[in-house]
């Protein structure tokens, strides 16, 4: 049977800049990194997955609308410019 009260250490790799920014953010919220990560883990377990939506901004409504606008313009030969190919 697992000991649910025993604390264990985990190691997470991130950039120094991200660690410092996160530490500042969580400190402003009255938390340390360990507590914030534990909140994330607990919330993920409660949700049965990530506690937020993960999506590619390419598929955002605004980006798709812009792409459609550009495709329509190209199909009408509007604002079509030649570009030099880069090797």
């Amino acid at each position: 049977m697992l000991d649910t009260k025993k604390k264990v250490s985990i190691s997470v790799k991130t950039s120094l800049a991200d660690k410092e920014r996160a530490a500042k953010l969580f400190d402003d919220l009255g938390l340390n990194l360990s507590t914030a990560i534990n909140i994330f883990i607990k919330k993920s377990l409660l949700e049965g997955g990530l506690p937020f939506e993960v999506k590619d901004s390419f598929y955002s409504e605004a980006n798709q609308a812009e792409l459609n606008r550009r495709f329509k313009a190209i199909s009408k030969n509007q604002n079509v410019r030649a570009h030099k190919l880069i090797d």
Side-chain angles (χ1 to χ4, degrees), residues 8-68:
V8 296
S9 292
I10 60 173
S11 177
V12 177
K13 297 268 186 192
T14 190
S15 72
L16 179 60
D18 285 349
K19 178 190 178 254
E20 290 175 353
R21 289 176 59 210
K24 169 78 170 93
L25 170 71
F26 298 136
D27 185 59
D28 290 347
L29 296 170
L31 305 168
N32 60 34
L33 280 171
S34 181
T35 301
I37 291 169
N38 275 295
I39 290 170
F40 169 77
I41 290 170
K42 293 286 188 184
K43 184 68 173 168
S44 295
L45 293 170
L46 284 171
E47 298 281 331
L50 293 175
F52 46 81
E53 187 176 349
V54 178
K55 57 186 173 181
D56 184 340
S57 61
F58 177 82
Y59 297 102
S60 71
E61 193 173 315
N63 193 51
Q64 292 301 303
E66 178 62 18
L67 288 172
N68 285 330

Side-chain angles (χ1 to χ4, degrees), residues 1-8:
M1 187 155 154
L2 288 175
D3 181 357
T4 59
K5 302 245 187 250
K6 181 180 178 185
K7 300 292 181 186
V8 296

